[in-house]
Amino acid sequence: MIDFTNITYLKTGNQKQQLAFEVLTKNMIFEKLADFDPILVGTIPINIDIANSDLDIICCWKNKSVFIEKVQELFGNENHYTIQENRINNQESIVVNFFIDDFEIEIFGQNIPTQEQNGYKHMLIEHQILDSKDENFRLEVIKLKENGIKTEPAFGLLLGLTGNVYEELLEFKV
């Protein structure tokens, strides 16, 4: 199993993963976010990304104001910088977006340890599913995503899940 808590696995990945590693390390993104236990999640780490996939980085904050102030200080001058406060799954969440080089970066922060956040859990389960299936399954996920279907619903369709796919995936056993 890949240690997704350390981005070094990207160095030996596909071309996009290697580019992502280069951008993240050159710009010291994980070092800058070190106080917030950052983890790269989403489609790029598990090789189901599409052309416009972003780099999703989850973070854990203890103090929302400190987190907002820090990301503003670190990334506020980056291209197309935005920050939003939302309630997601009844949790206060901060979503920061900006561009560096050819990548959109999304930083997602909650007051939940990163390894307990749904984004991380979903990615681990999706990775296990991909490992248990053939290449055609991975390509079908990508095809659905290219047709505008989000990642979890794409897995849900292919696996025949019928309820809330975000919740059902958390319970899915390979």
Side-chain angles (χ1 to χ4, degrees):
M1 178 69 131
I2 296 169
D3 177 9
F4 289 108
T5 63
N6 183 329
I7 63 168
T8 56
Y9 68 91
L10 295 170
K11 283 198 288 193
T12 56
N14 65 34
Q15 185 178 6
K16 192 162 192 180
Q17 290 169 333
Q18 290 176 28
L19 284 171
F21 180 79
E22 186 179 311
V23 166
L24 293 169
T25 54
K26 179 179 72 175
N27 293 284
M28 299 177 62
I29 303 295
F30 280 77
E31 292 83 353
K32 291 175 179 176
L33 292 170
D35 291 346
F36 307 106
D37 195 24
I39 299 176
L40 181 67
V41 299
T43 60
I44 292 173
I46 59 174
N47 193 23
I48 55 169
D49 54 284
I50 59 175
N52 63 348
S53 291
D54 58 7
L55 292 170
D56 294 309
I57 302 169
I58 59 172
C59 292
C60 174
W61 46 262
K62 301 287 180 237
N63 180 312
K64 182 175 70 169
S65 299
V66 168
F67 180 71
I68 290 170
E69 192 175 296
K70 186 71 170 178
V71 294
Q72 176 73 33
E73 172 191 319
L74 293 170
F75 307 111
N77 292 324
E78 298 296 343
N79 290 329
H80 305 287
Y81 174 88
T82 62
I83 186 167
Q84 298 175 21
E85 291 188 47
N86 297 314
R87 287 197 81 74
I88 299 174
N89 295 329
N90 216 23
Q91 291 289 325
E92 285 186 290
S93 307
I94 307 299
V95 182
V96 177
N97 293 89
F98 55 91
F99 285 80
I100 293 181
D101 296 338
D102 293 331
F103 283 100
E104 180 176 1
I105 296 177
E106 179 173 286
I107 298 171
F108 179 88
Q110 289 184 323
N111 186 13
I112 298 173
T114 49
Q115 292 187 38
E116 294 175 25
Q117 290 185 27
N118 285 346
Y120 182 71
K121 291 178 182 180
H122 282 146
M123 182 183 70
L124 291 182
I125 291 164
E126 291 158 3
H127 178 66
Q128 290 172 350
I129 293 167
L130 290 166
D131 277 355
S132 74
K133 303 286 186 185
D134 64 10
E135 178 67 359
N136 287 333
F137 184 89
R138 185 182 76 81
L139 295 174
E140 284 297 314
V141 171
I142 292 170
K143 190 177 182 183
L144 289 170
K145 289 179 59 52
E146 288 173 338
N147 287 321
I149 297 174
K150 296 255 184 218
T151 304
E152 286 77 6
F155 273 87
L157 276 172
L158 295 172
L159 295 170
L161 304 179
T162 56
N164 179 330
V165 293
Y166 294 92
E167 290 174 12
E168 287 188 44
L169 271 176
L170 293 174
E171 305 299 321
F172 193 84
K173 301 291 181 231
V174 176

